[in-house]
């Protein structure tokens, strides 16, 4: 089963007459966007929480609801799902990929048809992955976990240039090999800064392999100099920027405050950053109220309006419904400017991912 290239897309047409009316799906994405050779929804769903007990409190009892989340997403036009071979803690390592593969199979069995589903998975630059062959083996292991024939986008999870430059070249050659073997339809990178992004783009191009996507932390509290330079490079080279953590791990949802923090490690981070986000959160709230949207929907829509494909995480039906409400409309230029000015006026920012290179 090749999940990255599946069939049957539906195209709803609404007619309104006295005797007949067609009800649109509630959150239909208006169009697909190009990501290399692939066509994907303007927003994908991230699956970091699927299997992660430490940060997101995953329990296997959540699997039934996660299946419903997946079904709802696909039914409403979402076809991009981001995962990684390192997602899942302890004995649950790789659980996110296993669940995603299972949910695809069960969806197809229930619906009796296939949809075009693009899986973007990331391969960790573990210190024991020292050769191109070992990186290709990592790709094959992901295919086995998901029980599919081809991955939509195979991504290098992070760069080792800062501490193991020779390993970096081997991993690049591994991306080339998995592309040439047809194990992935396209290749991408994650957590690459502007300098390394240009280097790998040119390296792959010389070998006839186009760089499809670059995944980076990008949101109203993660739009520093590096992020904007990466976005500019992506635009000039035809690389699609995938925005992870578009809600700042939840800080932009309006659900938390300095006196109401999430449990676990996120609470410690929120305690440092939230008190310095008042101007931005106030603007998000104002626009959300005017638009009759939620703050999360406004923050995600901002990412879409900036030309990125955001991949907010989901682990409940409620979150899925809210995220889907980010589609089908666009912030005005004045609203975009208001949010960006408020972000610049806010004294705190999201901390940089430790794996991000320059």
């Amino acid at each position: 089963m090749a999940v990255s290239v599946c069939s049957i897309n539906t195209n709803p047409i609404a007619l309104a007459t006295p005797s007949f009316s067609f009800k649109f799906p509630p959150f239909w994405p208006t169009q697909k966007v190009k990501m290399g050779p692939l066509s994907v929804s303007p927003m994908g769903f991230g699956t970091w929480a699927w299997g992660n007990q430490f940060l997101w409190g995953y329990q296997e009892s959540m699997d039934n609801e996660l299946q419903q989340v997946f079904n709802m997403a696909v039914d409403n036009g979402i076809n991009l799902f981001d995962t990684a071979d390192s997602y899942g803690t302890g004995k649950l390592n790789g659980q996110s990929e296993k669940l995603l593969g299972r949910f695809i199979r069960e969806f197809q069995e229930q619906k009796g048809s296939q949809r075009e589903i693009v899986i973007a998975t990331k391969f960790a630059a573990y210190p024991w992955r020292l050769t191109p062959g070992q990186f290709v083996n990592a790709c094959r292991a992901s295919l086995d976990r998901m029980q599919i024939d081809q991955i939509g986008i195979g991504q290098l999870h992070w760069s080792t240039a800062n501490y193991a430059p020779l390993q970096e070249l081997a991993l690049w050659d591994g991306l080339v090999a998995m592309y040439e073997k047809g194990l992935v339809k396209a290749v991408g990178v994650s957590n690459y800064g502007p300098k390394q992004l240009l280097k790998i783009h040119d390296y792959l191009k010389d070998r006839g392999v186009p760089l499809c996507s670059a995944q980076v932390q990008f949101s109203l509290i993660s739009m520093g100099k590096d992020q904007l330079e990466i976005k500019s490079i992506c635009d000039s080279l035809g690389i699609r920027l995938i925005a992870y953590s578009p809600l700042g791990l939840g800080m932009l949802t309006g659900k938390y405050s300095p006196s109401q923090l999430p449990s676990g490690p996120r609470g410690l981070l929120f305690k440092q950053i939230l008190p310095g986000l008042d101007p931005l959160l106030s603007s998000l709230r104002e626009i959300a109220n005017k638009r009759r949207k939620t703050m999360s929907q406004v923050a995600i829509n901002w990412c879409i309006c900036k030309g990125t494909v955001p991949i907010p995480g989901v682990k409940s039906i409620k979150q899925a419904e809210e995220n889907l409400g980010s589609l089908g409309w666009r912030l005005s230029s004045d609203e975009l400017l208001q949010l960006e000015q408020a972000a610049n006026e806010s004294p705190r920012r999201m901390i940089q991912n430790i794996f991000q290179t320059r």
Side-chain angles (χ1 to χ4, degrees), residues 3 5 116 118 254 299 324 355:
V3 177
V5 189
E116 183 186 3
V118 177
L324 287 166
F355 291 112

Side-chain angles (χ1 to χ4, degrees), residues 85 121-143 145 151 153-160 167-179 181 183-184 187-190 192 200 204:
D85 64 359
T121 195
K122 300 180 289 294
F123 310 115
Y126 291 135
W128 55 85
R129 291 177 175 169
L130 297 171
T131 68
Q134 289 171 323
F135 212 47
V136 170
N137 288 340
C139 179
R140 293 189 191 279
S142 289
L143 287 166
R145 275 189 292 273
I151 289 165
I153 309 171
Q155 306 163 96
L156 176 51
H157 205 155
W158 66 84
S159 169
T160 66
Q167 182 188 12
E168 177 91 340
L169 289 176
L171 299 178
W172 291 2
D173 285 337
L175 284 178
V176 171
M178 64 180 71
Y179 178 83
K181 293 176 184 293
L183 303 178
V184 300
V187 300
V189 293
S190 177
Y192 266 60
I200 189 171
L204 295 175

Side-chain angles (χ1 to χ4, degrees), residues 220-224 251-252 258 269-283 339-351:
L220 280 162
I221 53 173
S222 296
M223 58 169 193
M251 275 184 273
L252 299 181
L269 179 65
F270 282 33
K271 187 175 182 179
Q272 298 175 41
I273 298 176
L274 269 176
L277 296 182
D278 283 347
L280 175 57
L281 295 177
S282 294
S283 284
L339 288 170
E340 289 159 25
Q341 287 178 339
N344 289 328
E345 291 169 6
S346 298
R348 301 308 297 265
R349 297 283 187 276
M350 174 64 87
I351 61 171

Side-chain angles (χ1 to χ4, degrees), residues 7-18:
S7 56
I8 304 182
N9 287 315
T10 50
N11 183 22
I13 299 174
L15 299 173
T17 68

Side-chain angles (χ1 to χ4, degrees), residues 322-341:
E322 184 172 8
N323 290 347
L324 287 166
S326 307
L327 298 170
W329 59 283
R330 292 182 71 86
L331 291 162
S332 69
S333 57
D334 288 343
E335 290 168 330
L336 293 172
L337 182 61
Q338 178 185 340
L339 288 170
E340 289 159 25
Q341 287 178 339

Side-chain angles (χ1 to χ4, degrees), residues 89-124:
T89 48
K91 66 179 182 179
L92 294 174
N93 195 50
Q95 181 76 351
S96 174
E97 289 185 333
K98 291 177 184 176
L99 288 173
L100 191 52
R102 191 178 96 195
F103 295 163
I104 292 169
R105 292 190 301 276
E106 292 186 5
F107 177 87
Q108 292 174 341
E109 289 171 3
Q110 291 172 12
K111 303 292 183 177
S113 66
Q114 293 184 334
R115 305 285 179 90
E116 183 186 3
I117 297 172
V118 177
I119 295 177
T121 195
K122 300 180 289 294
F123 310 115

